[in-house]
């Protein structure tokens, strides 16, 4: 299948899944603020080592991307060709959404993961597909009192176009990421879960001010898809529960510093700051 057709087909399926929800609840209190500082070490080719720290300025009831209060992240990615790459990441969140987990004496959640990425182009538009698998250690489910481990699979689709303006470059970009818990077995008495558990639609305009510094402001529309026991009033009308989409807007700013002997290499193609 042509990369453009595949991209549009999968995007359409993901959007239709979200539209099928019965209820939607937008949490008050404004958008979540998600600034992130990144340090990227440029290796040979397009390979890189990454470390970053992000801080949440407004807490939310449901976290869609595993980011609450603060997050440390390290990662490595190797490019086999100009179009295919793979790597590994580790995220550490000191405090979880509903309380603290604990691993090796450290309060919080540690999430190792692996990823594979494909990059392609249709005319001037660059298309990316990123598939990741994560396993949270010390994590808990929303509404649960016990902490236990769960695996999460993520699929991100994005499209961007780079505009060169003198010595800087602007890269407007649109990305959608869907995440779902891996359900290898479910107890019969448990409610059937949604196909997608989390989703995030993100729009940004990255500014590559030099080979060493990037600034990327962005906005996102984040959704947690939930299914719970429905409750009805005396007239039989459903008043709560069931399939509900919990929506949180988010505003962020990524600041990336790139260092290393290969940072300014003419053939180097840097990824967006969302990586």
């Amino acid at each position: 299948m042509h990369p453009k057709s595949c991209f549009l087909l999968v995007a359409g399926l993901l959007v239709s899944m979200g539209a099928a929800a019965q209820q939607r609840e937008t949490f008050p209190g404004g958008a979540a603020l998600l600034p992130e500082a990144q340090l990227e070490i440029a290796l040979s080719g397009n390979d890189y080592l990454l470390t970053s720290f992000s801080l949440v300025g407004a807490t939310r009831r449901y976290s869609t991307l595993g980011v609450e209060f603060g997050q440390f992240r390290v990662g490595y990615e190797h490019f086999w060709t100009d179009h295919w790459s793979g790597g590994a990441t580790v995220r550490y969140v000191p405090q979880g959404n509903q309380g603290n987990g604990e691993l090796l004496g450290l309060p919080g959640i540690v999430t190792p993961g692996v990823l594979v990425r494909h990059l392609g182009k249709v005319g001037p538009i660059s298309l990316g597909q990123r598939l990741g698998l994560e396993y949270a250690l010390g994590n808990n489910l929303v509404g649960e009192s016990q902490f236990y481990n769960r695996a999460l699979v993520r699929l991100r689709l994005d499209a961007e176009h780079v505009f060169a303006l003198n010595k800087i470059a602007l890269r407007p970009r649109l990305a959608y990421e869907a995440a779902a818990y891996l359900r290898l077995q479910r107890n019969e008495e448990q409610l059937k879960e949604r196909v997608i558990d989390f989703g995030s639609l993100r729009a940004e305009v990255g500014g590559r001010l030099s080979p060493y510094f990037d600034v990327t402001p962005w906005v996102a529309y984040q959704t947690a898809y939930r299914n719970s026991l429905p409750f009805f009033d005396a007239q039989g009308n459903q008043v709560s529960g069931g399939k509900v989409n919990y929506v949180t807007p988010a505003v962020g700013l990524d600041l990336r510093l790139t260092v290393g002997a290969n940072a300014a290499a003419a053939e180097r193609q840097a990824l967006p700051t969302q990586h």
Side-chain angles (χ1 to χ4, degrees):
M1 181 179 291
H2 194 279
K4 182 178 180 181
S5 301
C6 181
F7 185 94
L8 295 176
L9 174 60
V10 176
L13 289 174
L14 295 178
V15 172
S16 65
M17 290 175 184
Q22 297 178 0
Q23 303 180 55
R24 185 179 71 175
E25 179 179 348
T26 302
F27 285 101
L33 304 177
L34 300 169
E36 180 171 280
Q38 304 176 359
L39 176 63
E40 183 176 305
I41 302 175
L43 305 176
S44 60
N46 294 329
D47 296 6
Y48 66 87
L49 286 170
L50 174 74
T51 180
S52 68
F53 173 72
S54 60
L55 182 66
V56 177
T59 61
R60 296 153 294 166
R61 183 178 173 187
Y62 289 99
S63 171
T64 64
L65 295 180
V67 181
E68 287 293 338
F69 305 106
Q71 173 182 260
F72 298 92
R73 179 169 54 121
V74 294
Y76 166 74
E77 190 164 349
H78 170 67
F79 282 75
W80 300 298
T81 69
D82 291 339
H83 301 287
W84 289 97
S85 63
T89 60
V90 177
R91 291 189 292 112
Y92 171 62
V93 181
Q95 186 172 2
N97 214 17
Q98 297 290 316
N100 288 332
E102 189 164 327
L103 180 71
L104 302 178
L106 297 175
I109 302 168
V110 177
T111 306
V114 293
L115 67 96
V116 62
R117 188 192 310 272
H118 176 262
L119 299 173
K121 296 194 82 171
V122 176
I125 306 299
S126 298
L127 301 179
Q129 305 90 43
R130 180 189 187 277
L131 181 64
L133 177 64
E134 299 177 351
Y135 193 77
L137 302 170
N139 198 5
N140 73 314
L141 288 179
V142 173
E144 298 280 349
S145 59
Q146 289 185 328
F147 289 82
Y148 61 100
N149 306 333
R150 289 204 73 169
L152 195 73
V153 61
R154 299 178 182 272
L155 174 64
R156 183 194 304 159
L157 308 173
D158 63 82
E160 71 166 340
H161 182 47
V162 179
F163 297 92
L165 301 174
N166 295 325
K167 294 184 178 181
I168 68 173
L170 296 180
R171 50 195 314 173
R173 176 174 172 269
L174 186 66
Y176 180 80
E177 183 173 57
Y181 291 118
L182 287 181
R183 305 177 179 96
L184 302 180
Q185 186 174 2
R186 179 175 59 88
N187 295 332
E188 293 184 359
E189 64 272 14
Q190 288 182 329
L191 286 174
K192 185 177 181 181
E193 297 169 294
R194 307 285 290 275
V195 176
I196 296 176
D197 294 283
F198 306 109
S200 178
L201 180 63
R202 166 168 161 158
E204 64 183 49
V205 179
R208 190 158 179 78
L209 307 184
S210 77
Y212 306 99
F213 191 61
D214 294 78
V215 178
T216 306
W218 57 268
V219 295
Y221 184 87
Q222 302 181 345
T223 306
Y225 301 94
R226 292 288 178 262
N227 186 24
S228 59
L229 286 173
F231 292 90
F232 302 88
D233 59 20
Q235 288 73 39
N237 299 315
Q238 183 175 332
V239 294
S240 64
K243 294 182 179 180
V244 183
N245 293 354
Y246 296 96
V247 178
T248 303
V251 178
L253 178 66
D254 296 343
L255 302 176
R256 176 171 65 188
L257 176 65
T258 305
V259 298
N262 295 295
E267 66 276 8
R268 177 175 174 79
Q269 300 295 321
L271 292 174
T273 57
Q274 194 180 15
H275 288 90

